[in-house]
């Protein structure tokens, strides 16, 4: 099997991981924002309920704030955006690490005369398959966010950027 075929396959795997990594990081950001969007109002409504209870204010308003606080607390517990943010971030880190291994494979290892190149690539491909099986599922929103990020060049290393107007 020709080296170029191995390099091409390694680059395909690396591109797959670019998309998965970026989707994971983008959706982790979404979950972090949701964590704050639920958490801050939950804390505020709980605090207002406590203040209202102490001041023995309007019982109807007190009830509304108590219900809002309970709903937000239950939502934060059920959805658990902090845990989801961590899971997606960790998956993105694992994708990034494997992407680096693949890049080093096709840019460095594949330039050497090594009869075990195919076996190395198969091992990396298996590692990618395992990673895809064990990472949290990313849906359409994550890939839309990833496409935006990739399109802006946010995952391109400075060394790999094409100079403009030299």
């Amino acid at each position: 099997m020709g080296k170029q075929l191995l390099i091409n396959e390694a680059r395909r795997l690396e591109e797959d991981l670019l998309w998965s990594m970026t989707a994971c990081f983008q959706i982790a950001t979404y979950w972090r924002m949701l964590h704050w969007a639920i958490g801050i109002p939950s804390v505020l409504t709980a605090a207002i309920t406590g203040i209202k209870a102490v001041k023995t204010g309007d019982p109807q308003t007190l009830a509304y704030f108590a219900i809002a606080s309970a709903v937000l607390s239950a939502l934060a517990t059920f959805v658990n955006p902090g845990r989801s943010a961590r899971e997606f971030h960790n998956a993105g880190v694992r994708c990034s690490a494997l992407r680096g291994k693949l890049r080093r494979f096709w840019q460095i290892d594949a330039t050497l005369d090594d009869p075990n190149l195919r076996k190395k690539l198969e091992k990396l491909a298996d590692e990618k398959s395992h990673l895809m099986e064990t990472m949290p599922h990313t849906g359409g929103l994550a890939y839309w966010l990833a496409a935006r990020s990739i399109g802006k060049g946010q995952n391109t290393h400075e060394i790999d950027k094409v100079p403009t107007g030299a």
Side-chain angles (χ1 to χ4, degrees):
M1 176 172 282
K3 270 190 192 180
Q4 192 57 49
L5 292 174
L6 293 172
I7 289 170
N8 290 348
E9 183 59 19
R11 292 182 78 176
R12 285 184 200 99
L13 293 170
E14 183 190 0
E15 183 179 349
D16 289 349
L17 286 163
L18 168 66
W19 281 88
S20 295
M21 172 193 78
T22 307
C24 284
F25 285 143
Q26 291 295 320
I27 210 70
T29 300
Y30 165 81
W31 280 111
R32 271 188 226 102
M33 290 183 337
L34 186 61
H35 174 77
W36 288 102
I38 293 172
I40 290 174
S42 178
V43 168
L44 290 176
T45 55
I48 291 170
T49 302
I51 290 168
K52 289 277 187 187
V54 169
K55 288 190 171 190
T56 62
D58 177 24
Q60 187 174 3
T61 304
L62 179 61
Y64 289 143
F65 277 108
I67 290 169
S69 177
V71 167
L72 288 168
S73 294
L75 187 61
T77 300
F78 176 73
V79 175
N80 202 345
R83 184 201 70 226
S84 295
R86 278 188 307 280
E87 286 178 4
F88 280 101
H89 177 80
N90 290 341
V93 168
R94 291 193 321 267
C95 287
S96 177
L98 183 54
R99 184 173 172 239
K101 287 181 185 179
L102 280 158
R103 185 178 54 247
R104 288 186 297 278
F105 171 84
W106 69 263
Q107 287 186 334
I108 299 168
D109 297 349
T111 64
L112 307 171
D113 287 326
D114 183 351
N116 295 318
L117 283 178
R118 181 176 168 131
K119 287 180 184 175
K120 288 180 182 179
L121 182 59
E122 285 296 327
K123 184 178 176 191
L124 290 168
D126 289 345
E127 194 175 331
K128 178 191 173 274
S129 294
H130 178 72
L131 176 58
M132 295 295 121
E133 290 171 1
T134 59
M135 64 189 276
H137 173 72
T138 54
L141 173 63
Y143 280 97
W144 180 80
L145 292 168
R148 253 184 31 179
S149 175
I150 291 168
K152 290 179 182 178
Q154 293 176 342
N155 295 297
T156 305
H157 295 280
E158 288 297 321
I159 191 76
D160 297 326
K161 289 183 181 175
V162 177
T164 55

